[in-house]
Amino acid sequence: MIELYSERLMLRSLLPSDWANFLMINQNKDINAFVRQVETLEQIRIKFEQKLEPWEFESGDWLTLVIEELATGEFVGFSGFNCANLTLRRAEVGYLLSAEHQGKGYATEALQGVIDWGAHAYSIHNFIGLCDVRNLGSAKVMMKCGFKQEGRLRENNKIGESWSDDYLFGLLVSERVER
């Protein structure tokens, strides 16, 4: 069981009791507007069941951590990472927050915790993050955490029938330590 703490948040392993919140986030068209087309209930259930399985960094699967307000225990969203390249010790980060918790600095706080823990626990050399070029909030989160915009990937994601460009962000752990 993973538990990480920050000033206002607790991040913890996904549990079977998190199904309702997982479903809510994954069915919300606005939250997923820059990520993916909303999947069917069956697809979401299968994804949830897979994420409940024991996680290993080397697998390349996404680690999904539940974000909760420390003071109230209220659900905020999800964050985590996956091993994008084991040899190069590169991980890709991600986060999805409920609509009512966006714009409060929670994504930045959670991402900082995930980066600090991941770098220490898995000797990650660098983190990358992708976000749709229209998702200015997500870009700001990564920049606040020390990521630098390293490029633009043209037509890198397809949501429904529409292609979209992504910004590629990168963070060297050595630069984070120096900050």
Side-chain angles (χ1 to χ4, degrees), residues 21-110:
N21 288 323
F22 190 86
L23 180 63
M24 179 270 299
I25 289 285
N26 281 279
Q27 283 187 325
N28 187 301
K29 289 180 183 178
D30 293 332
I31 292 171
N32 287 278
F34 300 125
V35 180
R36 69 178 75 82
Q37 187 169 347
V38 172
E39 299 166 316
T40 67
L41 177 62
E42 182 180 341
Q43 290 169 316
I44 296 168
R45 174 57 90 172
I46 290 168
K47 186 188 309 184
F48 180 74
E49 295 295 332
Q50 289 170 340
K51 291 179 180 301
L52 288 174
E53 295 295 320
W55 177 81
E56 294 180 12
F57 179 71
E58 296 81 10
S59 71
D61 294 332
W62 277 90
L63 169 65
T64 300
L65 298 173
V66 176
I67 308 168
E68 295 177 344
E69 284 184 337
L70 196 52
T72 65
E74 187 175 342
F75 172 77
V76 172
F78 299 103
S79 187
F81 60 83
N82 75 336
C83 176
N85 187 308
L86 183 59
T87 304
L88 299 177
R89 306 305 289 182
R90 177 181 305 129
E92 180 180 351
V93 297
Y95 39 86
L96 289 170
L97 270 60
S98 64
E100 60 271 15
H101 290 96
Q102 293 177 10
K104 297 180 180 180
Y106 288 144
T108 301
E109 192 172 327

